[in-house]
Amino acid sequence: MGYTLAEKIIAAHLVEGEMKPGAEIGLRIDQTLTQDATGTMAYLELEAMGVDRVKTERSVAYIDHNTLQSGFENADDHRYIRTVAKKYGVWFSRPGNGICHQVHLERFGVPGKTLIGSDSHTPTGGGIGMLAMGAGGLDVAVAMGGGAYHITMPKTVKVNLTGALPPYVSAKDVILKVLSILSVKGGVGRVIEYGGAGVATLSVPQRATITNMGAELGATTSIFPSDETTRAFLRAQGREGDYVPLAPDADAVYERVIDIDLGALEPLVAKPHSPDNVDTAANLAGLKVDQVCIGSCTNSSLADMLTVAAMLKGRTVHPEVSLVIAPGSKQVLTMLAENGALADIVAAGARVLECACGPCIGMGQAPQSGGVSLRTFNRNFEGRSGTADASVYLVSPETAVASAVAGVLTDPRTFGAPVEIKMPEHFLVNDNLIDPPAESGNDVEVLRGPNIKPFPEAKPLPEEIDAPVTIKVGDNITTDHIMPATTKQLPYRSNIPYLSNYCFTRCDEEFPERMRHTGGGILVGGVNYGQGSSREHAALVPLYLGAKAVLVKSFARIHKANLVNAGILPLVFEDEADYDRITLGDRLVLRGLRESAGTGGERVEIENVTAGVRFGARLELSQRERAVLLAGGLLNYTRESGKNA
Ligand code: F3S
């Protein structure tokens, strides 16, 4: 039986475990990336591990999230990351150089390599055939220290593409179609592998748009083969030497095959407040639009921007629409400026932002109250835009421009004759905003400002937990619910005590105060708890407030790993009906925890003292995860075992 493409890369990097779906495996990691919002924590953890220099082939620290500098906090964090990167052997991409995934694809990604990043859209690298996964900052720190990265061996789903995209239908519509089929939970425990004759019709940026938003499926990652299109992309970046061809074996076995005829697709839209709430642009046409945002790691490539410029050329943005555009990288912006496309964008009345995440992470451009915002981004969770009652619709760049000009949501196929763009054979390569690390870190001083606070340290798992339920939330709780990331919180990503004032406040304003009052407690949730970003702050901040266990119907992958890494016990209801028998404030007692965790026990008996009932919860943990919890989190485990986990 042959291997899928993902299995081939896994086999070549396997250092622990067996490639049986569902089993935990350890992978050697070739490359890492961090962004600044999660990076400060990752580098504090790397320092705490006592490693001299990173051991990966390439590690890169990007500054792209917190680029607004209205106080000293972000600037302090940038300086800390710049100096710590220099000392430990990490490349540093300065503010203004671009969004981590766009720049990594352009300048560092290599087909067939493993990449983990402390950002959930790291699977963008799958567009050039990398096995690229989002991870918690501590996992990235361990990988930089030379340790393995542990995942559950995924199943592989094949998306078989045929045909070619019609005019004004784009890669965004492909991934929205997949989301409409699989939903935000459909990718959990799976790699989504794209194949079929339609692959050859898609460029690398189009492939990267599709793998980027595979994160919204909850997938471990998504991947495309590496072929002549990949080679041409790398050649255009002056990196043809990095090219290797990659394809699955002809007799590879997939869990499921989904057929998509690219030629039959039409422009799609994800409606508020979930990326899988998909409808057609034709159905939604006529909806009044207040704001249109183009950019983000999903749709900010040169090809996207040239299409946007060509559509805007000679036209004017509707007077009641604010159109903002953030090119994905300095390379993209420079080339737009050189060939004149930038002038077309500016002349049409668009507001050009710096090359960064910007509005995607709520850094500016919050919509007006009750506003409708069309965005080419990947997430439309409630409140993420910075305006609690705004409605965010996710669209392709083509739908975005057609709507910005018309003032209402518009099917771009009604916009006029299709635009043609001409891609250059060579990109303009100028890495002067990428700083190499020092030859030796010995003489480099790491500079910290007052915004850099130590992270909370976990304690070893106790034998018994006796604590109240301090919050009860429903299904599909995102990391944005747990730890909001608006402009109020973002500058404090290295300051857990400050952030703790906002934990869960979008669900329950009194949660932080209640946790302080009770001295901590147990968090209860529904299905797909912790979906969304990779931010380990969604585990570290509850830890700081005294979270002892999280009891839910099911977990999102990265968040569950982050809880284990933080030393917080993750439990799953044996019978989901027991969720309904728990009320806020109930006192729960969990006994025999160390024994269960240490002996491979899969069940924990829980007594609800207040309600006078007992029920069971499952410990869905590997041997290694049990050892990590017993030690009190990954950092303690790594220090104790001295083997970088
Ligand atoms: Fe940045 Fe938004 Fe992507 S925050 S990394 S552009 S998902």
Side-chain angles (χ1 to χ4, degrees):
M1 189 176 86
Y3 278 159
T4 68
L5 176 50
E7 287 166 351
K8 278 188 178 178
I9 302 178
I10 289 171
H13 291 82
L14 192 72
V15 290
E16 279 175 52
E18 266 184 79
M19 290 173 53
K20 281 195 289 199
E24 188 178 66
I25 54 170
L27 296 176
R28 179 170 46 78
I29 296 302
D30 302 317
Q31 298 192 347
T32 65
L33 70 80
T34 57
Q35 36 92 335
D36 47 304
T38 54
T40 43
M41 213 42 80
Y43 295 109
L44 285 167
E45 289 155 347
L46 180 71
E47 287 187 287
M49 247 175 251
V51 175
D52 289 343
R53 293 279 277 187
V54 297
K55 309 232 169 10
T56 40
E57 291 175 11
R58 181 76 77 196
S59 285
V60 190
Y62 294 92
I63 306 291
D64 57 3
H65 275 55
N66 296 341
T67 53
L68 276 186
Q69 289 169 239
S70 51
F72 66 89
E73 294 87 357
N74 289 342
D76 274 12
D77 286 2
H78 299 174
R79 182 181 58 175
Y80 167 68
I81 295 176
R82 177 168 56 78
T83 52
V84 82
K86 194 167 188 181
K87 184 175 184 72
Y88 285 90
V90 176
W91 294 68
F92 179 70
S93 174
R94 282 149 64 180
N97 196 46
I99 304 173
C100 54
H101 308 305
Q102 173 68 25
V103 178
H104 205 83
L105 206 61
E106 291 169 356
R107 306 305 308 139
F108 295 108
V110 177
K113 298 283 184 185
T114 51
L115 164 71
I116 66 168
S118 61
D119 188 279
S120 51
H121 290 98
T122 303
T124 312
I128 51 167
M130 300 190 87
L131 191 78
M133 295 163 285
L138 191 44
D139 286 317
V140 174
V142 167
M144 285 192 279
Y149 176 54
H150 294 87
I151 56 168
T152 303
M153 177 66 201
K155 297 172 184 167
T156 316
V157 170
K158 179 175 180 182
V159 178
N160 187 43
L161 302 175
T162 54
L165 291 170
Y168 284 127
V169 181
S170 73
K172 186 60 154 284
D173 303 310
V174 179
I175 186 61
L176 289 178
K177 178 72 184 174
V178 178
L179 271 155
S180 73
I181 296 169
L182 287 177
S183 88
V184 290
K185 301 192 287 287
V188 174
R190 294 172 173 83
V191 172
I192 314 297
E193 193 165 306
Y194 291 83
V199 165
T201 69
L202 297 174
S203 66
V204 163
Q206 287 175 314
R207 297 174 188 185
T209 293
I210 293 168
T211 57
N212 169 282
M213 246 185 118
E216 277 52 63
L217 297 163
T220 304
T221 190
S222 303
I223 190 166
F224 272 84
S226 170
D227 56 12
E228 284 305 313
T229 304
T230 321
R231 185 206 288 265
F233 176 82
L234 291 169
R235 186 190 307 125
Q237 290 288 347
R239 302 200 290 124
E240 191 173 359
D242 287 339
Y243 172 70
V244 280
L246 290 169
D249 288 330
D251 55 346
V253 176
Y254 295 89
E255 182 201 12
R256 175 180 175 189
V257 178
I258 297 169
D259 289 303
I260 293 182
D261 174 2
L262 296 172
L265 290 178
E266 61 179 308
L268 297 173
V269 178
K271 296 182 288 184
H273 298 286
S274 183
D276 62 356
N277 190 15
V278 176
D279 204 339
T280 64
N283 275 345
L284 296 168
L287 175 76
K288 185 166 177 339
V289 171
D290 304 300
Q291 181 193 54
V292 175
C293 302
I294 299 176
S296 90
C297 57
T298 313
N299 277 121
S300 61
S301 66
L302 180 65
D304 283 334
M305 293 296 151
L306 289 176
T307 303
V308 166
M311 288 178 72
L312 284 175
K313 189 178 172 80
R315 293 187 166 91
T316 296
V317 174
H318 189 277
E320 289 178 30
V321 173
S322 168
L323 171 64
V324 294
I325 299 180
S329 68
K330 169 172 164 275
Q331 182 185 76
V332 171
L333 181 56
T334 313
M335 293 177 77
L336 288 175
E338 288 225 328
N339 77 5
L342 184 61
D344 296 332
I345 290 174
V346 174
R351 302 161 66 184
V352 179
L353 306 179
E354 74 172 316
C355 306
C357 301
C360 181
I361 191 65
M363 271 284 154
Q365 309 305 326
Q368 67 197 51
S369 26
V372 168
S373 179
L374 263 52
R375 300 179 162 209
T376 65
F377 305 169
N378 46 40
R379 292 196 170 134
N380 57 348
F381 301 144
E382 205 170 356
R384 182 179 167 98
S385 65
T387 302
D389 61 358
S391 297
V392 175
Y393 294 74
L394 305 177
V395 298
S396 68
E398 290 83 349
T399 302
V401 175
S403 306
V405 171
V408 291
L409 203 153
T410 301
D411 181 337
R413 294 173 301 177
T414 65
F415 187 71
V419 293
E420 299 245 332
I421 60 161
K422 195 172 168 318
M423 285 296 288
E425 285 200 3
H426 294 284
F427 293 98
L428 213 151
V429 176
N430 177 355
D431 290 334
N432 63 353
L433 284 186
I434 300 178
D435 298 346
E439 287 283 315
S440 153
N442 291 344
D443 301 327
V444 179
E445 187 191 352
V446 178
L447 301 171
R448 298 160 220 275
N451 196 39
I452 309 278
K453 296 269 190 287
F455 49 89
E457 297 248 2
K459 297 196 182 67
L461 184 72
E463 190 60 20
E464 179 180 307
I465 292 174
D466 180 343
V469 173
T470 45
I471 195 164
K472 185 179 177 189
V473 287
D475 292 345
N476 294 320
I477 286 295
T478 69
T479 48
D480 277 323
H481 287 109
I482 305 171
M483 194 52 253
T486 70
T487 35
K488 277 204 191 79
Q489 295 94 30
L490 272 169
Y492 298 94
R493 283 303 188 85
S494 46
N495 189 340
I496 299 283
Y498 175 89
L499 288 179
S500 71
N501 298 319
Y502 296 92
C503 187
F504 266 121
T505 48
R506 281 183 41 210
C507 304
D508 179 349
E509 283 212 331
E510 290 159 19
F511 176 74
E513 197 41 51
R514 187 180 305 128
M515 287 288 270
R516 288 193 186 102
H517 182 71
T518 56
I522 296 168
L523 285 39
V524 174
V527 299
N528 199 22
Y529 177 88
Q531 67 159 329
S533 84
S534 68
R535 74 187 66 134
E536 61 185 338
H537 297 76
L540 292 175
V541 175
L543 172 70
Y544 175 81
L545 287 170
K548 302 184 187 325
V550 179
L551 173 61
V552 298
K553 293 181 183 172
S554 64
F555 283 104
R557 178 185 73 88
I558 301 176
H559 184 63
K560 182 182 156 200
N562 283 339
L563 288 174
V564 172
N565 289 350
I568 299 175
L569 181 66
L571 292 168
V572 177
F573 283 105
E574 217 168 41
D575 177 359
E576 291 191 1
D578 288 321
Y579 169 89
D580 298 321
R581 297 187 194 107
I582 293 182
T583 308
L584 183 69
D586 282 359
R587 183 177 148 217
L588 305 186
V589 181
L590 294 60
R591 299 191 177 89
L593 294 175
R594 286 194 73 81
E595 200 196 329
S596 268
T599 57
E602 291 178 353
R603 185 173 193 278
V604 168
E605 171 105 344
I606 300 180
E607 182 183 358
N608 185 334
V609 179
T610 313
V613 292
R614 287 172 186 267
F615 60 95
R618 288 195 305 275
L619 264 179
E620 295 178 342
L621 299 170
S622 69
Q623 274 312 111
R624 186 194 62 89
E625 288 173 320
R626 288 161 188 271
V628 169
L629 278 173
L630 286 169
L634 186 56
L635 196 57
N636 288 336
Y637 174 75
T638 305
R639 284 190 195 123
E640 270 175 26
S641 61
K643 64 168 194 168
N644 286 340

